[in-house]
Amino acid sequence: ISKDEGATWTRVQVAKNGITGHEAGVAVDKKKNIYYTWIGRDRLPYLAVSKNGGKSFSRPMMVGPPGIKEANIPGIDAGDPGKIAIVYMGSTNSPFKPGKFEDDECTLLTSCPAPKQYDKTTWNGYMTISANALAKDPIFYTGSVNDPGDPLKRKNCGPGRCGTSVYDFLDIVVGPDGAAWASFVDACITVCATSPSGDIGADGVVGRLVGGPKLR
């Protein structure tokens, strides 16, 4: 954390369960609450909150929906205090189990060959929002932007950048009306939309959650 335009820095450890790689997200609301999201060693999405300018953070909260087995490249934005929106790629049929594929982790920024265990894995774009992230027991709402029957990515997606085409090109913003909007890369727009043949073609797509609480 720097309070002098980067001339000096204070290093703060948010949590102890981070995975190898550089993908994480941070946002600050107008009351200076800090929200930090990352992927844990179990490859699930986590959130921690600081109410004192980053001096300390809350215990990590796993914010993925039921059924998600692996996630990657999270991002976050804040609206009014306590109101946040998170974006990430997620899979409900990943073969990953903590400790099983540690040797297959990609530690470089380039993509790595997918283990054969991931040949049938599909990935969707997820958005998670909360209107009370500062509460002791906050509520999170999550939805998949795409139809899981037509995934955005097949085979492996990180850790680190999400293979070819997707890389880390995800982002999320809370609009002036309090709705959360997110951008994704659909790397499965032609043959691979109906056949598990890997990435073929790519389009940029935008999504938002319909319904739920406003974030401003």
Side-chain angles (χ1 to χ4, degrees):
I1 296 174
S2 177
K3 297 181 179 181
D4 53 13
E5 302 291 340
T8 60
W9 292 84
T10 299
R11 185 182 296 270
V12 178
Q13 183 169 351
V14 177
K16 298 180 179 180
N17 70 331
I19 194 173
T20 8
H22 70 291
E23 302 301 343
V26 64
V28 183
D29 66 30
K30 61 185 179 182
K31 294 292 186 180
K32 301 182 180 180
N33 299 297
I34 302 174
Y35 309 88
Y36 194 91
T37 183
W38 71 98
I39 301 300
R41 283 193 293 271
D42 56 4
R43 298 197 187 174
L44 296 177
Y46 283 83
L47 171 74
V49 177
S50 175
K51 300 178 183 179
N52 56 13
K55 294 179 181 179
S56 61
F57 281 81
S58 65
R59 293 182 61 182
M61 296 177 281
M62 203 287 285
V63 296
I68 195 169
K69 294 184 177 180
E70 186 172 357
N72 196 22
I73 48 177
I76 189 171
D77 193 25
D80 286 344
K83 299 181 179 183
I84 60 169
I86 302 172
V87 64
Y88 50 92
M89 294 288 284
S91 175
T92 59
N93 63 353
S94 164
F96 177 77
K97 293 181 180 179
K100 185 176 181 181
F101 295 124
E102 300 305 321
D103 292 339
D104 296 321
E105 288 186 0
C106 302
T107 56
L108 301 177
L109 298 185
T110 54
S111 58
C112 300
K116 288 189 175 181
Q117 295 95 332
Y118 279 82
D119 280 352
K120 297 182 179 180
T121 303
T122 56
W123 297 81
N124 306 304
Y126 284 94
M127 295 174 64
T128 295
I129 65 173
S130 176
N132 66 339
L134 297 173
K136 184 177 180 180
D137 188 16
I139 297 173
F140 297 95
Y141 302 85
T142 299
S144 172
V145 172
N146 59 288
D147 179 350
D150 184 6
L152 299 184
K153 179 82 173 66
R154 288 187 184 271
K155 299 189 175 183
N156 70 324
C157 177
R161 291 185 175 179
C162 186
T164 57
S165 300
V166 178
Y167 295 107
D168 55 0
F169 296 121
L170 273 69
D171 199 5
I172 193 164
V173 296
V174 178
D177 63 349
W181 295 80
S183 61
F184 301 85
V185 175
D186 185 349
C188 203
I189 61 174
T190 53
V191 177
C192 77
T194 56
S195 174
S197 55
D199 299 346
I200 302 178
D203 276 345
V205 295
V206 175
R208 70 182 181 93
L209 290 182
V210 178
K214 294 293 185 180
L215 303 181
R216 293 194 191 277

